Amino acid sequence: MHMRFLRPTTAERHDLYAGIHKGLRLFMGEMLTELGRLDTDDEAAVAEALAALRVLIGFCRDHLAHEDRVIHPALEALQPGSARRAADAHAEHAASLRLLGHLGDELRSSTGPARVRAAARLYRQFAAFVGESLLHMYEEETEHNEVLWAGLSDAQIAALHGRIHARLTPADMRLALTWMVPAMRPAERIALLAPLRSRLPAAAFDDLLAALRLRLGDAAAAQLTAALPQAA
């Protein structure tokens, strides 16, 4: 793939890919590591890894659907054909996700040497999927953002972002935040979470912070909590 870079802009633009793509990269990276070192003799470890894989597959499917239904039509309206390659890639990713599900089932049902072979097949296939996904996300963050930034204001792009958020259930949002926030810089975490403090019930927000603390670690979680505005 020919690598290209965004042309410099005079101001920071609204980037609706940045946060979710950071979360996906973190989730995929950790999942790839876990599959590579999986102890196939440990039933609990296998069950835990496959449960996480099911969550990741669902997360990826939902992400593809949101882009297909909200972002791609906007791109095509601005520049016909600009979403065609991504749409084709999404169809390929959907097929890859189905294959990963089948390979996970194969791993679950196998034993002994057959399970070792099944784990190796799943790991290699997942590694290929991650590689394809990383390149795909790069293309979206460069080529698609250029089209969006050239044709839409930040307010209009934020409205697209809002349409995606409106499709999310509370469980969907919690899952996304669980991976996005730990993948972000501290300032990005504050910018994302500060508005949520006033919109979510106090108990729900505190529960979210508790879940994030498990992934962030004590130091980063304390920094986040101290920087967030106090509840009203």
Side-chain angles (χ1 to χ4, degrees):
M1 187 191 77
H2 175 66
M3 300 294 286
R4 62 195 298 274
F5 299 92
L6 286 170
R7 287 189 286 270
T9 58
T10 56
E12 187 109 2
R13 296 297 309 272
H14 187 96
D15 186 345
L16 46 67
Y17 292 110
I20 189 61
H21 280 185
K22 282 190 174 187
L24 283 166
R25 288 178 178 118
L26 177 60
F27 200 169
M28 288 178 181
E30 290 195 8
M31 189 78 253
L32 182 62
T33 300
E34 288 305 309
L35 290 176
R37 65 189 180 193
L38 182 62
D39 181 356
T40 56
D41 293 325
D42 185 333
E43 291 294 336
V46 171
E48 183 177 352
L50 291 177
L53 179 64
R54 286 195 299 272
V55 173
L56 176 56
I57 288 172
F59 192 20
C60 289
R61 282 176 175 156
D62 289 346
H63 176 66
L64 295 177
H66 298 324
E67 291 187 341
D68 287 341
R69 294 170 184 168
V70 177
I71 301 177
H72 288 186
L75 289 166
E76 287 294 320
L78 293 168
Q79 184 178 310
S82 59
R84 188 173 303 132
R85 185 167 64 178
D88 291 342
H90 281 194
E92 293 175 0
H93 289 176
S96 294
L97 291 168
R98 289 193 294 273
L99 175 57
L100 289 171
H102 293 321
L103 292 175
D105 292 340
E106 181 183 82
L107 174 59
R108 182 181 297 104
S109 62
S110 59
T111 58
R115 171 169 279 190
V116 175
R117 293 191 294 272
R121 284 192 291 272
L122 175 58
Y123 174 68
R124 284 194 296 268
Q125 190 64 41
F126 187 75
F129 173 72
V130 171
E132 293 166 359
S133 297
L134 292 177
L135 290 174
H136 176 70
M137 288 188 283
Y138 171 82
E139 290 177 346
E140 290 177 328
E141 291 167 2
T142 53
E143 297 174 13
H144 287 189
N145 266 336
E146 284 191 346
V147 174
L148 293 171
W149 292 345
L152 299 177
S153 67
D154 281 347
Q156 290 170 316
I157 296 172
L160 289 177
H161 216 165
R163 287 175 56 194
I164 293 175
H165 287 174
R167 299 175 59 87
L168 302 178
T169 66
D172 293 335
M173 180 62 77
R174 182 187 174 93
L175 175 62
L177 291 173
T178 297
W179 290 100
M180 289 167 60
V181 173
M184 290 176 165
R185 298 190 302 272
E188 292 174 322
R189 295 169 185 165
I190 302 303
L192 178 63
L193 292 177
L196 290 180
R197 183 181 279 282
S198 59
R199 295 206 297 265
L200 290 178
F205 190 80
D206 289 343
D207 185 54
L208 173 61
L209 287 182
L212 290 173
R213 187 174 293 110
L214 296 175
R215 299 200 57 79
L216 289 170
D218 291 340
Q223 180 188 34
L224 174 62
T225 302
L228 285 171
Q230 297 300 307

